Structure formats: structure tokens, C-alpha cells
Amino acid sequence: MKDITLKLDRNDKIISLLSQNIEILNKVSRFQTAIKQLEYYQKKLLDLNSKVEKDLSPIEKEMADRREALIELLIPVIRIMQVFAHDRKKENLQQKLYFLTPENIQDASDTELVKISKKIWLVANKFGGYSLSFSSKIKSLLDPDKSTDTIKFEKEYGLSPNMIKNLEKAILSFIKSMVVFKVERDEKEKLATKVKKFNRLTKKLISNKIDRFAILFESKNPDFYHQYCEIRGNQLKKQEKESLVQESDPIDILADELPVSPAKPKRKPKSPKKLNAEK
């Protein structure tokens, strides 16, 4: 945002210069109006730009840390389920787990990682026989055989209930950090769009109005005009000034400063009946 910072600084200099030359502004009411408009745009730009420059790196780092924590818990569970699928010759499960290598997990997008984690969590609960919900825990207590199968699965493959619980917490924690970061990022993008909008309006206001008004005082107030040219730099070259003068006569620019004579009312054309009557 270095470019917008330079523009904001240039706008401040223009406003400061004109505020120091009130007698010039007082000569042209539209000049005063343009400066007030510039001050409004500048205030909006400063406010929006301060929000756009908000540092999201702490939120992004928090999300990255939670992602790594999730992957650390996810990969061991995937390996256990891959061994289980191979031992029990569960071909469909083997196909689903085949491509879930540590490299592919690391390369997965945040959304893909959440989907993979959810599927693994469901698979581990299904085949491991773990009961994490309150109602399921009651059922497992009423069904001792099922509890025995769970203990046997844990001893044989090393997948404990705590591994599943910790995986669940890690998934939810990562999703929460994703949501927070996305909200902040989206808001920042919206604000950046508004900055661009007000920057365009400011540029148009200065080029189409303030520059042209300043040119009118080149002869009568040369000191003011030269200071203004120094601020505007290459954007107000001699040939550009001449083209502006050709495009807009000073009389046109100051049109609202001159009295306007009321327009004569147009006469209504005679109706066909009256024309026939006159004939």
C-alpha cells in the first residue's frame, strides 16, 4: 500500500496549500466546494486505509499452527486405518485411503484437509467401534461385547479413544481459526475495494476540477500556482495545462459565478383546428 500512502501525502499537501490561501478559494465558490469534497475523500481514504493495513499475520499464524497440530494427529490415525484395511482385506476402504500419504496431506488445501479429517474421523469411529456421543456411550455400556471389540481393536492396532477425541478437537479448532481468518481477510478485501473507489474519485476530482481552478491563478497568483505545480509534479505539465485550457474555457469553469438570464418561454404551436379557422 506504499502507492496509496504517497497519494494520501500528496493530497494532504494540496489541502494544506489551499488552506493557506483562503483568499484564492474565496474568489471562486466552486473551488471551495471542490476542496471540501477533497477533504471528505481524504478523510475516508485515511480511515479505510488504516483498516486495510491491519496486520493479519497473527491470525494467519494461529491458523497455520492449528493446521500443523491437526496433521500431526491425523497422519497416525490414517496409517492405522490403512493397516487395518489391508489386514481385513477391505478393498473399498483401501482405495479410499490409498492416496492419503503424508505428502498429499501436507499439500492439501485447508478445505480439503477438513474434508479428509472428517472422513477419517468417521471411518475410525465406525471400524474402531468407539462411542463419543453420550447416547452411544450408554449403548456401549449396555453392550459389553462391543466394548470388548473396542479394547481388542485398540490393542491390535493402537488406535485409542483419546486419539479420536483429540483428532475431533483438532478438527474443530482448525475450522474455527479458518473462519476467523476468512472473515478478517474478506473484510480487508472489501475495504481495499472501497479504497480504490475513493482513490479514483479523488484522482478525478483533482484532475478535472482542482487542477483547472489552480490554472486560472497562474498569472494573478504565480507563487501559489508554482507551489501547486511542485506538489502535482509531472502530472501537471505545460502541455497538459494547455490542453486543459483548450478543453475548458475559464468562462465555462466559472459558469456558476456569472448571472444567468432567465430563458424565454417557448410558444406552443397552434392546433390544427385554429389553423383551419384562420383560413
Side-chain angles (χ1 to χ4, degrees), residues 1 44-56 184 187-189 191-192 194-195:
M1 300 301 290
K44 293 291 293 185
L45 280 169
L46 288 169
D47 179 56
L48 291 169
N49 192 53
S50 65
K51 294 176 181 177
V52 169
E53 290 182 340
K54 180 181 178 181
D55 185 13
L56 298 185
E184 292 288 342
E187 180 64 20
K188 192 169 184 176
E189 289 176 354
L191 291 171
K194 290 183 179 180
V195 168

Side-chain angles (χ1 to χ4, degrees), residues 116-159:
I116 292 170
S117 301
K118 179 183 176 182
K119 288 179 181 178
I120 295 302
W121 184 87
L122 291 171
V123 167
N125 274 284
K126 177 182 178 182
F127 292 103
Y130 298 113
S131 305
L132 300 182
S133 68
F134 182 69
S135 59
S136 296
K137 287 178 181 179
I138 294 175
K139 289 180 181 178
S140 64
L141 289 174
L142 296 174
D143 188 354
D145 292 334
K146 187 173 182 181
S147 297
T148 303
D149 290 340
T150 301
I151 295 171
K152 183 179 178 181
F153 188 90
E154 180 181 351
K155 287 183 176 180
E156 187 173 354
Y157 294 102
L159 186 63

Side-chain angles (χ1 to χ4, degrees), residues 26-195:
N26 291 338
K27 293 178 181 179
V28 185
S29 63
R30 288 179 65 186
F31 206 170
Q32 297 176 35
T33 303
I35 294 305
K36 287 181 181 178
Q37 190 69 41
L38 177 61
E39 290 174 343
Y40 170 75
Y41 288 159
Q42 181 74 346
K43 184 178 179 181
K44 293 291 293 185
L45 280 169
L46 288 169
D47 179 56
L48 291 169
N49 192 53
S50 65
K51 294 176 181 177
V52 169
E53 290 182 340
K54 180 181 178 181
D55 185 13
L56 298 185
S57 56
I59 300 174
E60 192 172 11
K61 185 181 182 301
E62 178 70 19
M63 186 179 73
D65 290 343
R66 293 188 185 187
R67 175 188 168 96
E68 287 302 314
L70 171 57
I71 291 174
E72 286 180 9
L73 294 171
L74 178 63
I75 290 177
V77 177
I78 291 175
R79 285 174 174 166
I80 290 172
M81 296 313 301
Q82 286 172 335
V83 173
F84 166 77
H86 178 268
D87 289 352
R88 302 297 175 88
K89 300 187 184 311
K90 296 183 178 294
E91 295 183 1
N92 289 337
L93 182 58
Q94 286 185 66
Q95 290 177 4
K96 291 178 180 178
L97 301 176
Y98 181 76
F99 292 102
L100 296 181
T101 63
E103 293 77 15
N104 288 340
I105 296 298
Q106 288 286 355
D107 293 339
S109 67
D110 294 336
T111 304
E112 289 172 342
L113 180 60
V114 170
K115 290 179 180 179
I116 292 170
S117 301
K118 179 183 176 182
K119 288 179 181 178
I120 295 302
W121 184 87
L122 291 171
V123 167
N125 274 284
K126 177 182 178 182
F127 292 103
Y130 298 113
S131 305
L132 300 182
S133 68
F134 182 69
S135 59
S136 296
K137 287 178 181 179
I138 294 175
K139 289 180 181 178
S140 64
L141 289 174
L142 296 174
D143 188 354
D145 292 334
K146 187 173 182 181
S147 297
T148 303
D149 290 340
T150 301
I151 295 171
K152 183 179 178 181
F153 188 90
E154 180 181 351
K155 287 183 176 180
E156 187 173 354
Y157 294 102
L159 186 63
S160 67
N162 282 337
M163 292 176 70
I164 305 302
K165 291 178 182 178
N166 292 336
L167 179 61
E168 177 184 341
K169 290 179 181 178
I171 293 170
L172 295 175
S173 177
F174 178 57
I175 291 173
K176 288 177 182 178
S177 67
M178 279 179 61
V179 171
V180 171
F181 178 72
K182 185 179 183 303
V183 169
E184 292 288 342
R185 184 191 60 195
D186 291 349
E187 180 64 20
K188 192 169 184 176
E189 289 176 354
K190 290 179 182 177
L191 291 171
T193 301
K194 290 183 179 180
V195 168

Side-chain angles (χ1 to χ4, degrees), residues 174-235:
F174 178 57
I175 291 173
K176 288 177 182 178
S177 67
M178 279 179 61
V179 171
V180 171
F181 178 72
K182 185 179 183 303
V183 169
E184 292 288 342
R185 184 191 60 195
D186 291 349
E187 180 64 20
K188 192 169 184 176
E189 289 176 354
K190 290 179 182 177
L191 291 171
T193 301
K194 290 183 179 180
V195 168
K196 291 180 180 177
K197 172 190 172 183
F198 278 99
N199 186 43
R200 286 196 302 269
L201 291 171
T202 302
K203 182 179 179 181
K204 185 177 179 181
L205 174 67
I206 294 174
S207 298
N208 292 355
K209 292 187 178 180
I210 297 178
D211 280 355
R212 297 185 179 188
F213 288 131
I215 290 169
L216 298 177
F217 296 93
E218 179 180 6
S219 300
K220 293 184 179 179
N221 300 84
D223 291 340
F224 160 76
Y225 179 72
H226 289 313
Q227 290 180 57
Y228 184 83
C229 288
E230 287 179 3
I231 295 173
R232 294 289 284 140
N234 294 331
Q235 299 180 47

